Amino acid sequence: MQLPEKVKIVEVGPRDGLQNEATPVPVEVKLALIRKLEEAGLPVIEAGSFVSPRWVPQMASSAEVFRAIDPKPGVSYPMLVPNRKGLDAALETGVKEIAIFAAASESFTQKNINCSIGESIARYSDVMQGAEQAGVKVRGYVSCVLGCPYEGEIAADRVAEVAGRLHDMGCYEISLGDTVGVGTPLKAQRMIDAVSQVVPVAQLAAHFHDTYGQALANLFAVLQQGVSVIDSSVSGLGGCPYARGASGNVATEDVLYMLNGLGIETGIDMDRLLQAGQYISEHLQRQPASKVARALTAKA
Ligand code: HMG
Ligand code: MG
């Protein structure tokens, strides 16, 4: 069996993890979480988004959060951007990396960003041009790659088409989102087979939510195809406001435990990661969704 020697974990907790929280999380708490994630060794920490505060109120403090980050060398702090207005806000804030987010489902695109897939691609080419001029790196997301909360099944070639457009536009990495967490391993592999026809597998990331408890199995399946970037959220926080019933991302602790067991290098310290998870779980007054966090904490 072929597995990558190293995996890069992209921590999306401060953005994807918190965006759906109904009670505002104070800026100091977001910053303390980001600091603890840096201490744990996460190389990429998605810190927030420049979206409409009416649509996603929890992310309204993103500029304030970003400005207060004391960037750790070697760590990047991408911010989500849906349009030119978001890019302008990001540039004004001094952001060095953004993520644009499209989807393989028309209905989800409408609910999430209020336009069609075609319109979103046109908007993003404009964002891409502005980002290139400013020397800002751009990551691309495709949502609903293994199913849509409104349309159900999504064909792998539709995912490949949208992923290919974002890649052609200049995104350095394409993150494939199982937004609702409905996928299963063979389906995940077939989707990667289709997408890797148009985007090299080294530029793909797996962004799997764990609603049906399949995320680790799906990740193990796509690791065998050469995917070596995994998005996850500390403590398994989160969910998308436009994907009703979807639970959090796969927990970073669970991913790390699996990768450690497979002998795959990540550079992440489990004890420190557990501390980050405990911190935010205590703040939210919630048990971590991560089974590994619960098991290791109980043992300690
Ligand atoms: P719209 O209503 O069509 O936008 O929303 P508009 O251009 O007509 O503007 C309406 C108002 O929004 C105006 O303000 C604009 O200024 C303002 P008003 O005049 O009414 O006061 N506005 C903005 N404000 C701040 N920042 C901006 C911005 N743009 C317009 N960038 C829009 C379109 C895209 C803005 C809206 O639909 C939106 O913000 N959606 C947020 C979507 C979102 O954040 N979703 C969650 C993230 S995606 C996700 O979680 C999936 C992912 O994790 C991968 C996976 O799991 O699959 C990435
Ligand atoms: Mg997500």
Side-chain angles (χ1 to χ4, degrees):
M1 191 197 331
Q2 274 298 101
L3 287 171
E5 278 175 27
K6 276 188 195 172
V7 160
K8 177 172 82 173
I9 298 188
V10 173
E11 170 62 47
V12 297
R15 193 280 304 171
D16 207 353
L18 294 180
Q19 68 184 7
N20 212 20
E21 288 296 328
T23 311
V25 177
V27 169
E28 314 82 75
V29 173
K30 292 181 179 175
L31 284 168
L33 172 64
I34 291 169
R35 224 168 298 127
K36 287 174 189 298
L37 292 166
E38 288 165 350
E39 285 165 6
L42 269 314
V44 184
I45 303 171
E46 204 174 67
S49 58
F50 290 97
V51 298
S52 160
R54 269 199 232 168
W55 287 60
V56 186
Q58 185 64 252
M59 290 291 109
S61 60
S62 291
E64 200 184 333
V65 169
F66 188 88
R67 283 206 180 94
I69 292 174
D70 180 13
K72 194 176 168 196
V75 179
S76 47
Y77 307 86
M79 304 287 280
L80 232 60
V81 159
N83 53 18
R84 190 70 200 212
K85 189 175 165 95
L87 174 70
D88 292 343
L91 296 180
E92 207 176 291
T93 312
V95 170
K96 302 279 184 292
E97 179 174 340
I98 60 165
I100 55 179
F101 50 110
S105 147
E106 280 296 348
S107 327
F108 182 81
T109 307
Q110 285 291 349
K111 300 268 188 205
N112 195 34
I113 51 174
N114 204 23
C115 64
S116 67
I117 296 175
E119 283 162 345
S120 75
I121 298 293
R123 275 185 202 174
Y124 289 139
S125 347
D126 184 37
V127 169
M128 182 61 83
Q129 276 179 14
E132 264 173 13
Q133 275 166 13
V136 162
K137 277 175 78 179
V138 184
R139 187 176 202 241
Y141 275 106
V142 184
S143 285
C144 301
V145 301
L146 297 175
C148 167
Y150 310 103
E151 293 179 20
E153 290 288 320
I154 295 289
D157 54 359
R158 283 174 69 192
V159 180
E161 194 189 324
V162 179
R165 300 284 291 271
L166 296 179
H167 178 252
D168 291 347
M169 226 183 253
C171 291
Y172 76 91
E173 190 169 278
I174 307 295
S175 178
L176 300 162
D178 182 10
T179 319
V180 260
V182 290
T184 44
L186 269 180
K187 215 169 157 186
Q189 285 188 329
R190 287 191 191 119
M191 183 274 295
I192 296 293
D193 276 341
V195 178
S196 56
Q197 303 291 312
V198 285
V199 184
V201 74
Q203 285 173 267
L204 297 179
H207 177 110
F208 295 164
H209 286 252
D210 200 28
T211 320
Y212 286 75
Q214 305 294 301
L216 281 183
N218 296 343
L219 287 173
F220 184 55
V222 304
L223 281 169
Q224 293 169 60
Q225 294 173 291
V227 172
S228 61
V229 184
I230 295 176
D231 296 2
S232 62
S233 177
V234 70
S235 215
L237 293 173
C240 176
Y242 304 102
R244 194 180 262 266
S247 73
N249 295 84
V250 64
T252 310
E253 297 91 324
D254 295 359
V255 172
L256 182 62
Y257 184 85
M258 179 178 78
L259 295 177
N260 284 346
L262 292 168
I264 296 174
E265 205 184 311
T266 60
I268 296 163
D269 181 296
M270 179 65 93
D271 289 339
R272 297 261 173 132
L273 180 63
L274 288 174
Q275 287 165 20
Q278 262 159 13
Y279 171 78
I280 194 65
S281 299
E282 272 167 29
H283 174 81
L284 298 171
Q285 298 182 302
R286 194 176 302 153
Q287 279 285 316
S290 161
K291 284 197 173 174
V292 167
R294 280 190 259 155
L296 292 178
T297 309
K299 221 165 101 179

